[in-house]
Structure formats: C-alpha cells, structure tokens
Amino acid sequence: MSRGLIISAAFFSLFPSMQALAQQIELSNQIWSAEVIRAKGQPVIPLFDGWFPNEDGSSTICFGFFNMNSEEALNIPAGEENYLDTDYPGLDLSGVMLPTHFDPLPPRYRHVFCAFSINVPADFDSDNRITWHLNSNRQELEVPGKVIAPYVLDEPSSNGRGDIAPLVRLEDSGQAIRGRAGIQYPQVIQAKVNESIALSAHIEHGDIEVWVGWSHHSGPGSVQFTNKEYMTESGSSTSTELQISEAGEYVIRMQTIDDIAAFEFYCCHTNAYFSIQVVD
Amino acid sequence: MITITRLKTLVSVVALAAAHTVLAQEAPTYSRDVAPILQDKCASCHNPEGIGPMPLLTYQQVRPFAALIKDRTTKRIMPPWHLDPTVGIQEFKNDMSLSEQEIATLSAWADAGAPEGDRADMPAPLEIASGAAWQLQEQMGPPDLIIRSAPYDVIANGQDQWWMPNMPFDGLEKERWLRAAEFKPSYPLGKKVVHHGHAVLVPKNPEEDGRRSVALARYGVGKSWEIYPEGTGMRVPTDGHIAWNLHYFPVGDEGPGDVVEVGLWFYPEGERPELETAGEAMFRVDGLNGMARGQDIVIPPHGYQVLQGTHVLDSPAIIHSYRPHMHMRGRVMTMEAIYPDGRKEVLSQVNKYNHNWQISYIYADESKPILPKGTVLQFSSVFDNTANNPINPDPEQWVVFGRRGVDEMNHAWLGMTYINEEQYGTAIAERRASQETLRVSQ
C-alpha cells in the first residue's frame, strides 16, 4: 500500500472488494484528512457538477474542477492531456470553453463550480455521456457528464432558497444573461504582453451586494489581476485589470453569485467569458 | 454415581429439550409469533398513517410481503438500525433492531408458507396515532409551545431544496428550561419530503444571553424528538428569532404552503434543572486541520475514502446520543474515545449507514458515555463510491463536498451535556453504584 498507510484488517473485512476495485489514483487509499491537499504534485480533479434542462428540450451539462494543490498552478493545454469525448454521434465539442489553467485556490473553496458547460440535444439520454479527460502530475483522470436525475440542477433560480443567478451584461447595450451557460464578450480583445487590460461587467441582482471572481480560464502564460475576488454593489458595473505574461490566446472567466457560500448549494451563479489575443 | 436430585434434574432437562425440539419443528404462525414482532418493531412506520410504504397490521396486509420481509430482515435492511452490533455500546432507548431469534422466526414463517395460525393467538390490536400527532404527546402531554416555519411550496422533482426562513420568536414571558422538543413535518407530505432540518433560536441579545444560538430542535428521517434526561435542560431565552434550515428532498409529490412545526415541552416555571445542555452539538470530521469545511473530501470513482477527525473535550461530558451525518456515499462512521490515560475504546460504530435515514442512537441511561476532561473523541468515516453501495447514484463520479445528497459531508451530532468536575465525580460514582447493584442483583 502506498505512502506507508495503515489500514486495518478490520477495515478490509468491511469492504473485501476494496483492494480489487481501488482506483488508479492513490487517493482511493488515503486515510488522513490532511493527506488530500498538498502544496504541489497533486492532480486536478475533473468534476461533473450536474445538468439542467432548457426550455427548448435540450439540456446543459456542467463541469467544474478541484485543484488538489495549495500552491501549484497547472497549465494543461487542450489536447492529449485535456480533452472531451462523447458517445453521442455527431455532437460537436469543438466550441466548448475548455479550461486549461487551474489555479491553486484559496482555502475557502477549492472546487470551481461549473467552470464550463455543454449544451446537448433533447435526445441525449441518461445512457449518453460526455467525458472530460484531464491528466496532470502523472494522474490520468476522467469524469463523465450525464443527464441523470440525481444530478439535476436548479437553473437559473432556486425555489427553496429563493436564489437567482445575477444578471450580467458585458456591453452597455448588449444582451443580458443570467446562468451557468453564461455570456461571451462578443469581440476578441487585442493586447500586448504585460499590457494592462481592463475588463468590466454590469451585474444586477436583488441583493445589495454580489460576489465576483475573475479567473484565468485558458491560455499558456500567467495572468495577474488587480482585483480577483470581492463583493461588489449590484446594479452597477464592476471591473478588474489584468496583465498577461506571454503571447497567445486566452480566456478570462468571471463568475458571480449572491454569496460565495451559495456555491455549496449549487445555485445559482452566472459565468462570463472574455477572449483575449495577446501578442509580443 | 448420579444422585436422585441430579437424576431429576437430568430428566427435566431431557424433557425440556424434547419439548423444545417439538416446538422448533412447529412452524411459526402469523397470529402467535409474527404479529407481536411486527407490532413491536415495524408498526410504528408500517401503518396507514406512517412513513412505511405499506401497512403491516393485519394478516391480509402482511401475507403478500412474507418473502420480502424475510429478505429485508435477514439482510438487516429493515427495521432501519445501522449500528454495528459487534462493537461498542449496545444499550439504547430507541433500539428498533430485531434479535437473531426474531429474524429466525420471521424467516421460518415465510419458509413455511406464511401460515396465519389461530386468530385467537393474536395480540391486542395497536392503537395507531394519527400521522399528524405529536409522538411525544402520550408521554409528555401536549406541547407547552409550538413554533412554525414559514410556508414553503414543495416541488415534485428537481434539485434538493433548502428553505431557510427567519421567523420571530416571542412565545415566552420568562426564560424557561426546555425538557423535550419534537420536530414535526406536516403529514403526509412533509414526512415524505423533509429530509432533515434545524430550528435554531437566535437570542435577541446574544451578548446578554451569552450564546449566539440555541438549537431548539434538530431533525432527520428517523430522528424527530429529544427528551433530555431528568435534571438536564436547555435554557431558552424569551425572545429572538427562529432560524429555520429545512432540507426538502423532492420525491415526486408537490404541495403548496408546507409548514413544519416544533413542539416544546418545558420544565415547570421556576424550576431549573441541575445540568444545562446545548442539545445536539456538531462534531466535524471533514475539513479539519485549518482547512475550510469539506475541502478534504475527494472520493474517487469506484473507490473509497477514509476521513478521520478528532476533538478534545475541554471539560467532562455526558453523551446522550450519537447521530452520524454523511450523504449517499457514506457507509461507516466510528466514534472512539481516547482517554487521558491512553486507553482507547470504541463507543459506537455505524457500519451500514444509509443517507435515507438520520437515526439518532439514544444511549440507555446506564450506558451513556461519561467522559473525563481531556478525552479525545476520534471519528473515522468510510465513504464507498463503488457499485457495492446500494444507494450510490453513480459510481463513475468524483465526489466532493456539497450540500446536495449526491455530494458529501461528514460530521456527527452528539447529544451532549458538559459538566464540571464535581458533577463528573458524582456521575461516575452513581454509575459505579448502579453497576454494583446490577452485579449483586444478578
């Protein structure tokens, strides 16, 4: 057994099949709480967060992730180490907003909830799947996204808690969207390496304040934000400035929710994405 | 040489053994053997007003389910009692489990073709209380005070719902001491859809009161009431507001304006019990060691995770009850005491945890743990994300912390009363005296 862990014979007598079925990842044998999170060397876990039905009969599948490192940021470019596949014939996954950058997150929430989503047609049934493959730090991991009842999500509002996803507009006269499928800034922003880039969004919500988080979603270099996570007044515009260290194509993700603690309840936040082309 | 006395004894033993053999060969009947067991251990849920899916009060009701009853009882799926019978304390006030003999009787009856037998052997019929009645009413009388949640429109299908209204509390003229509380979802809808909940009184002046909150009642399917031991009570301030936290789990039924009630029974006005309890206290297992809550839960697909958390008691304490809380992948939760002298003891182990039940294991008075200051309570939990877990919604998923049933969390609710050293000494002396009395009487 790895890492010199001590698991008693009594434990295996409770679960005789455990040794045979243990996963490819050492985590299946971890025993102490503190073992899970380490400074570096751990993988990023791909997560299926759930799905929600749309009015047109289609469904939207949500994926999130969980960086197991407290200090190590990982870049996992789209390709052999980071890709989607599906058993649903003909489903085009090329336009999916796949994340390639995975920050080590602050202690509060390591789980990034529904970082991206995929729309699937009405006849995508409970036996179909979209699988996200994500390999990092020598761990080949995957997770299937499915349209199955136990994982249904409230969207864009929750009857019980009375929550609703903030309404987000990225242009003065542009479309306003609420929910996890999100809104995409319509233009590709052009910038130079280390140039200061300002991004803003108008956010409306019934609460006086809402939580906002900006993240490096994809792109090869590093991104420095002036404001990364904060509470802001709803009914107004919020902005951040950022600088990008190397040339390439980037996506910046903004998430907003009434309170960060509401993520635990899986309802309800809005995603916004900004594409940036960075040149030397 | 065999003396006359010994010979008589031997003859008696042989005769008894022969009689027992005849009885053993005689198939159990519903009227004589099965009905008393079902009345005692099953009817509280399996009645027309109960949460069981079918009533089991008459032969006509029971006969079609004979094989199922055998299956569920021999596998110890029913009645729901998920405690490991081989380790830890085994004396409880609310033990619903079947004895090996009772299981053997039900099994033999089903194997024999489920005969009805002589109706004259039937026990007296049970008086079944309304599903809307207070369970404690017969024992405690009507509640002294009833508090109610704000109405909630129950949805039929969808994600778990959390209803968290704040309601004013101004029901008392003077501070009172709580003797018992019962958390009562509506009947029949609420009993199907309220998975668990809390009614917490936030005092109007927390600084003056010395507490930020007073947990009047906590509920889970299988745990709806609490009676504090004689001489123990919870101090209830006169006013404030009730913070309701109700977890509704959609099961296909809907209805408008569902209301949960909590009944409160107080000690007589002016009477102050010797010991003050905070009721059920949460002992977290996830996210310790400075981490945020639950951020150490990462259960692989088709795999397991073990979590362990420890808490040091900074004063002596009595544990009245043990209620593990996990979600759908939770299977085992063990509570051990590591005493200041280094001894280690398993107090209780739930080894067939089922998220659909939130059973509080209420220790018998003579068995409840009385723990010295400095005792380490160590909780060890096993999560099973394999297909072997019968309620696993999808073993292919990674599972992390969250509020939904498909996510995980890990803590225990312990009915606790913290006591001082003098009270601890008294409690230990009384326990030793009762054990000595027991030994002498045996």
Side-chain angles (χ1 to χ4, degrees):
Chain A
M1 187 154 297
S2 63
R3 301 187 200 158
L5 297 177
I6 300 168
I7 297 180
S8 70
F11 174 78
F12 285 117
S13 71
L14 286 168
F15 296 99
S17 58
M18 174 173 168
Q19 286 164 300
L21 289 176
Q23 271 286 283
Q24 69 276 26
I25 188 169
E26 292 172 292
L27 282 172
S28 58
N29 292 333
Q30 76 86 27
I31 189 166
W32 294 101
S33 299
E35 285 268 30
V36 173
I37 308 297
R38 295 179 176 184
K40 58 185 178 180
Q42 296 279 61
V44 178
I45 309 294
L47 297 173
F48 167 54
D49 282 336
W51 65 279
F52 55 87
N54 301 306
E55 287 184 0
D56 64 2
S58 68
S59 299
T60 299
I61 289 175
C62 274
F63 288 101
F65 57 84
F66 189 103
N67 187 345
M68 303 275 285
N69 302 289
S70 58
E71 295 177 10
E72 183 182 10
L74 291 165
N75 281 312
I76 312 173
E80 289 184 358
E81 308 296 324
N82 182 5
Y83 66 98
L84 299 164
D85 62 26
T86 181
D87 60 358
Y88 184 89
L91 184 61
D92 181 12
L93 299 173
S94 62
V96 172
M97 202 66 76
L98 193 68
T100 68
H101 180 84
F102 305 92
D103 277 326
L105 295 173
R108 182 81 189 260
Y109 286 108
R110 296 177 186 281
H111 182 174
V112 174
F113 292 82
C114 193
F116 69 103
S117 61
I118 303 168
N119 186 259
V120 297
D123 61 350
F124 188 101
D125 63 30
S126 58
D127 292 328
N128 288 124
R129 62 182 58 208
I130 296 172
T131 303
W132 183 16
H133 304 261
L134 190 61
N135 304 340
S136 55
N137 278 330
R138 304 173 311 284
Q139 305 278 4
E140 297 183 7
L141 308 182
E142 63 183 47
V143 71
K146 306 176 183 179
V147 178
I148 51 177
Y151 281 83
V152 68
L153 295 166
D154 282 341
E155 175 74 15
S157 62
S158 170
N159 183 39
R161 299 182 70 241
D163 276 356
I164 188 165
L167 188 68
V168 174
R169 196 170 64 242
L170 302 183
E171 296 176 296
D172 287 343
S173 56
Q175 186 183 19
I177 295 284
R178 66 171 94 240
R180 283 168 270 218
I183 183 170
Q184 168 88 46
Y185 187 70
Q187 287 91 43
V188 176
I189 299 166
Q190 304 294 323
K192 291 183 178 178
V193 168
N194 291 328
E195 180 185 7
S196 187
I197 306 163
L199 301 179
S200 65
H202 184 87
I203 302 174
E204 293 181 24
H205 191 270
D207 288 0
I208 295 170
E209 286 190 316
V210 293
W211 178 89
V212 174
W214 297 88
S215 303
H216 175 185
H217 186 79
S218 63
S222 64
V223 181
Q224 298 296 321
F225 294 89
T226 54
N227 298 321
K228 202 161 188 312
E229 292 185 21
Y230 52 90
M231 296 294 290
T232 190
E233 193 176 332
S234 62
S236 64
S237 288
T238 185
S239 62
T240 189
E241 288 189 15
L242 55 101
Q243 294 175 311
I244 297 176
S245 66
E246 29 179 295
E249 295 179 357
Y250 290 79
V251 173
I252 302 300
R253 179 183 67 245
M254 188 203 76
Q255 294 188 310
T256 178
I257 193 167
D258 57 352
D259 186 305
I260 190 171
F263 277 120
E264 288 181 12
F265 296 89
Y266 286 77
C267 186
C268 296
H269 77 268
T270 299
N271 285 320
Y273 304 94
F274 299 81
S275 295
I276 304 174
Q277 177 75 44
V278 178
V279 296
D280 289 321
Chain B
M1 192 173 73
I2 299 175
T3 63
I4 295 297
T5 305
R6 289 183 66 191
L7 185 60
K8 282 180 178 174
T9 304
L10 184 61
V11 169
S12 300
V13 168
V14 169
L16 277 172
H20 182 73
T21 303
V22 171
L23 284 174
Q25 289 171 345
E26 187 180 334
T29 70
Y30 171 78
S31 301
R32 185 188 62 217
D33 306 297
V34 171
I37 299 172
L38 299 184
Q39 282 195 358
D40 186 33
K41 299 292 177 67
C42 310
S44 61
C45 292
H46 287 277
N47 68 70
E49 304 271 311
I51 59 174
M54 67 286 200
L56 296 175
L57 299 178
T58 68
Y59 180 69
Q60 287 70 29
Q61 291 169 345
V62 173
R63 174 67 187 86
F65 297 105
L68 189 65
I69 290 169
K70 175 187 173 183
D71 179 76
R72 295 295 188 269
T73 56
T74 52
K75 292 176 180 169
R76 288 196 176 275
I77 296 172
M78 282 286 155
W81 187 258
H82 307 128
L83 203 83
D84 185 341
T86 67
V87 67
I89 297 165
Q90 296 297 324
E91 296 79 36
F92 295 89
K93 292 180 176 177
N94 59 335
D95 189 347
M96 292 296 292
S97 64
L98 296 172
S99 67
E100 292 295 334
Q101 179 59 48
E102 288 170 325
I103 292 172
T105 298
L106 295 173
S107 182
W109 172 70
D111 289 343
E116 181 177 14
D118 186 347
R119 292 183 184 181
D121 293 337
M122 278 290 289
L126 288 177
E127 288 184 20
I128 303 294
S130 161
W134 296 102
Q135 292 183 31
L136 293 182
Q137 176 136 351
E138 185 177 342
Q139 185 178 352
M140 307 286 295
D144 298 318
L145 182 66
I146 298 172
I147 57 176
R148 295 180 174 85
S149 68
Y152 169 68
D153 295 337
V154 175
I155 60 170
N157 299 297
Q159 187 185 328
D160 308 47
Q161 300 290 314
W162 295 270
W163 179 232
M164 304 162 99
N166 288 327
M167 301 291 284
F169 177 82
D170 52 6
L172 297 175
E173 293 179 358
K174 293 180 180 176
E175 182 177 273
R176 295 289 296 272
W177 289 82
L178 190 64
R179 175 80 170 87
E182 180 176 337
F183 196 106
K184 187 161 73 72
S186 68
Y187 174 79
L189 179 62
K191 295 213 170 181
K192 294 180 186 174
V193 297
V194 179
H195 183 265
H196 63 270
H198 312 275
V200 176
L201 171 57
V202 179
K204 188 174 183 180
N205 297 304
E207 292 79 18
E208 190 179 298
D209 184 87
R211 296 169 297 177
R212 287 185 301 169
S213 62
V214 181
L216 296 177
R218 300 189 189 277
Y219 170 81
V221 178
K223 189 267 177 181
S224 57
W225 53 262
E226 200 152 358
I227 302 175
Y228 300 124
E230 190 63 44
T232 300
M234 179 187 291
R235 184 164 54 87
V236 181
T238 53
D239 49 15
H241 71 267
I242 304 293
W244 291 89
N245 182 339
L246 304 173
H247 184 165
Y248 282 85
F249 194 81
V251 296
D253 294 320
E254 61 186 353
D258 188 69
V259 171
V260 169
E261 295 180 313
V262 166
L264 304 173
W265 288 261
F266 296 105
Y267 280 91
E269 201 168 332
E271 183 176 332
R272 179 194 169 124
E274 182 187 1
L275 301 177
E276 178 174 357
T277 181
E280 281 191 312
M282 179 198 277
F283 285 74
R284 275 177 40 204
V285 183
D286 54 25
L288 295 172
N289 301 320
M291 268 183 274
R293 183 181 178 189
Q295 301 306 290
D296 50 353
I297 297 177
V298 186
I299 312 171
H302 305 292
Y304 299 81
Q305 187 181 18
V306 177
L307 287 184
Q308 199 162 57
T310 55
H311 299 261
V312 181
L313 298 182
D314 52 14
S315 75
I318 301 171
I319 301 180
H320 306 293
S321 59
Y322 173 49
R323 181 160 67 101
H325 185 85
M326 298 179 279
H327 290 174
M328 293 167 126
R329 272 76 171 199
R331 290 299 300 278
V332 179
M333 191 160 171
T334 308
M335 174 172 64
E336 295 170 277
I338 304 171
Y339 297 104
D341 63 6
R343 286 179 302 117
K344 190 173 181 180
E345 179 183 15
V346 175
L347 300 178
S348 286
Q349 174 166 279
V350 165
N351 65 342
K352 291 181 179 173
Y353 181 83
N354 184 323
H355 176 58
N356 296 323
W357 296 91
Q358 304 289 309
I359 298 169
S360 177
Y361 299 90
I362 304 170
Y363 295 109
D365 287 339
E366 67 276 14
S367 298
K368 58 182 61 171
I370 305 169
L371 305 173
K373 176 183 176 180
T375 299
V376 177
L377 285 177
Q378 178 168 281
F379 299 91
S380 305
S381 300
V382 180
F383 295 93
D384 177 359
N385 191 22
T386 73
N388 296 331
N389 178 348
I391 64 166
N392 190 344
D394 186 356
E396 293 189 296
Q397 299 302 327
W398 287 90
V399 182
V400 295
F401 174 81
R403 301 277 186 155
R404 304 175 301 178
V406 297
D407 312 311
E408 272 305 336
M409 79 176 41
N410 192 192
H411 54 264
W413 292 103
L414 299 187
M416 293 283 284
T417 299
Y418 290 100
I419 53 181
N420 61 34
E421 292 294 346
E422 183 183 349
Q423 291 164 331
Y424 173 74
T426 302
I428 288 293
E430 289 175 354
R431 173 66 57 84
R432 284 180 178 148
S434 69
Q435 289 172 339
E436 186 60 30
T437 303
L438 191 63
R439 271 196 292 274
V440 170
S441 66
Q442 286 174 336

